[in-house]
Amino acid sequence: MKFFAICPRGLESLLADELTALGGEDVAPTHGGVFFSGEWATCYRANLESRIATRILWHIVKGPYTSEEDVYRLAVRQLWPNHFAVSSTIRVVTTAIKSPLKSLDFVTLRVKDAVCDRFREDLGERPNVDTRHPDVSIHLFLSERECTLYLDTSGQPLWQRGFRRASVEAPLKENLAAAILKLSGWQPEQPLVDPMCGSGTFLLEAVQIALDRAPGLDRHFGFERLKSFQAIEWATLRSAAEARVKKSLPATISGYDLDERAVRATRRNLQEAGFAAFATVDHGDVLEIEPPAGAPGVLLANPPYGERIGEQEELAAFYPQLGSALKRHWAGWHCLFFTADLRLPKLIRLQPSRKTPLYNGPLECRLFRFEMVAGSNRKGATPAAASD
């Protein structure tokens, strides 16, 4: 069977590598996601274990179109009653790139009509629509000349790990945080510090990675509501993932924040996820905190973006202090900052060794990497981070 895994822009190659490792075949990254094929077990594993995907869609049919009626005719020919029960509530989600159709709302309505008409013709009754919490989501993708229909196998987005969350302003989505951790090069054997931890998304993802804990262990999935659901296969995969989970971490994972609300939110999130024993969280100023004793590791932060003018002025004054603090305290560490504020390297007065373009929703961002050379704050030494 064919599937399409959706992901945030810029993460397609990372997701392709991940899906290959999970057993996906014919893996082909494209804009906004990755095509792959496999058996149901591959689909189940992708949902359970992918840290980067947003959704896994099951390919139903593709065909040419020039009008809404072409899309309706393609949809009404599909054997929807073979895929899910008439008692299931449904929703149709439409995405389009360069589609000539004037109204996406209307073509969405026509696909819904086609699904309901197929049920009515085959079973004499139709499913109900629930646009907020449906049992089954049907996805329509329109290119300039072709339309493709998918069934969603994920249900809630995969970045929703199943934990209840206490949040502060503008947290990162979990799959983006997991991808940034991957791009940082951090390994569980290294200490990790997030000095501006917010609600703790980096810490939560890092703990799961270090424990080799599948991110979907605490949630349900859309494929469980499909008629093709193989309960024994799923239970076997899930049990194997549970058996893999480690009991301890090889290195420290630490978070700090200047805002006491953020510290409390992070502690609560770790507690409710069952990870309180695996990460420490304290009140602290990034300009003053020092690294844990032992071998150097990775410092990773998502600082404020400065979207308002007053904030931009504050950050312009803050960044040089941050650069000085990094040179003073974090020699030998890999220091990474994910931000939409592209002024950061110039104002922090350090030369990034790498700049990776990413997106946080619609915001174009960069992951800046600085290699803090030991001794770089001594008189006569080069005052910038190493560059590759």
Side-chain angles (χ1 to χ4, degrees):
M1 293 175 294
K2 296 179 181 178
F3 301 96
F4 182 68
I6 302 171
C7 69
R9 286 186 289 170
L11 302 182
E12 294 89 349
S13 61
L14 277 183
L15 178 56
D17 292 343
E18 185 181 61
L19 291 170
T20 299
L22 292 173
E25 299 177 356
D26 307 314
V27 175
T30 187
H31 180 76
V34 178
F35 294 102
F36 69 103
S37 61
E39 303 296 332
W40 275 119
T42 309
C43 172
Y44 297 168
R45 281 196 72 193
N47 276 285
L48 176 65
E49 300 198 36
S50 174
R51 301 187 189 279
I52 298 170
T54 301
R55 289 186 184 279
I56 309 295
L57 303 179
W58 174 27
H59 180 277
I60 300 297
V61 68
K62 177 191 283 190
Y65 80 100
T66 57
S67 68
E68 292 88 352
E69 291 313 299
D70 292 334
V71 179
Y72 171 86
R73 284 191 288 270
L74 182 68
V76 81
R77 290 198 299 267
Q78 306 313 306
L79 300 178
W80 301 108
N82 288 0
H83 298 320
F84 56 89
V86 69
S87 58
S88 301
T89 56
I90 64 168
R91 170 181 62 186
V92 178
V93 179
T94 300
T95 308
I97 297 177
K98 297 182 179 179
S99 172
L101 301 184
K102 294 181 180 179
S103 172
L104 295 186
D105 287 340
F106 182 60
V107 74
T108 300
L109 180 63
R110 293 303 285 148
V111 171
K112 184 270 294 179
D113 290 343
V115 174
C116 291
D117 289 348
R118 182 81 233 186
F119 269 95
R120 192 180 288 112
E121 180 178 336
D122 290 357
L123 302 180
E125 54 182 327
R126 48 154 286 181
N128 291 322
V129 173
D130 183 344
T131 58
R132 296 190 64 187
H133 303 291
D135 296 319
V136 175
S137 288
I138 298 145
H139 285 247
L140 169 67
F141 176 72
L142 300 170
S143 64
E144 190 172 6
R145 296 185 178 87
E146 288 188 312
C147 60
T148 310
L149 287 163
Y150 299 93
L151 276 173
D152 177 26
T153 70
S154 299
Q156 295 299 314
L158 295 178
W159 54 262
Q160 294 185 7
R161 307 304 201 203
F163 309 135
R164 287 167 51 198
R165 294 293 307 275
S167 65
V168 294
E169 186 177 357
L172 292 176
K173 285 188 169 60
E174 285 79 350
N175 59 339
L176 178 56
I180 290 170
L181 280 161
K182 179 73 173 175
L183 290 167
S184 76
W186 171 74
Q187 298 295 320
E189 296 76 22
Q190 298 173 291
L192 177 75
V193 175
D194 180 353
M196 310 168 84
C197 66
S199 58
T201 307
F202 281 138
L203 304 183
L204 285 159
E205 292 302 304
V207 168
Q208 291 176 85
I209 291 168
L211 294 175
D212 195 13
R213 188 181 194 279
L217 276 177
D218 287 317
R219 51 163 290 164
H220 291 283
F221 298 94
F223 59 72
E224 296 176 66
R225 299 189 180 103
L226 300 179
K227 287 188 173 180
S228 56
F229 178 49
Q230 299 170 5
I232 295 175
E233 182 79 51
W234 167 235
T236 301
L237 287 169
R238 197 176 183 285
S239 295
E242 284 182 326
R244 259 194 356 247
V245 179
K246 296 180 174 66
K247 304 299 183 185
S248 62
L249 300 185
T252 60
I253 294 176
S254 310
Y256 299 87
D257 206 284
L258 198 56
D259 186 344
E260 284 284 7
R261 292 178 306 125
V263 173
R264 289 194 298 269
T266 299
R267 286 175 176 166
R268 177 181 164 189
N269 288 331
L270 288 165
Q271 182 72 39
E272 292 185 349
F275 300 155
F278 302 116
T280 61
V281 186
D282 291 297
H283 179 263
D285 186 338
V286 65
L287 302 180
E288 298 175 1
I289 62 175
E290 298 186 5
V298 172
L299 179 149
L300 177 61
N302 175 215
Y305 294 172
E307 294 177 275
R308 292 186 288 272
I309 292 176
E311 292 174 342
Q312 291 179 356
E313 292 172 352
E314 290 177 12
L315 288 174
F318 165 72
Y319 282 144
Q321 299 177 62
L322 176 59
S324 296
L326 294 177
K327 288 183 285 186
R328 186 165 60 250
H329 297 307
W330 299 88
W333 280 64
H334 310 287
C335 298
L336 296 98
F337 296 89
F338 177 69
T339 180
D341 190 344
L342 306 187
R343 307 172 303 162
L344 186 146
K346 181 178 180 180
L347 294 175
I348 209 172
R349 299 171 185 169
L350 294 171
Q351 178 65 37
S353 64
R354 189 170 301 152
K355 298 177 285 187
T356 305
L358 296 170
Y359 286 83
N360 187 6
L363 287 175
E364 182 179 357
C365 300
R366 294 289 185 278
L367 179 62
F368 294 110
R369 181 186 183 94
F370 303 96
E371 310 293 351
M372 303 311 300
V373 178
S376 63
N377 204 38
R378 293 200 306 266
K379 185 177 180 180
T382 302
S387 176
D388 59 7

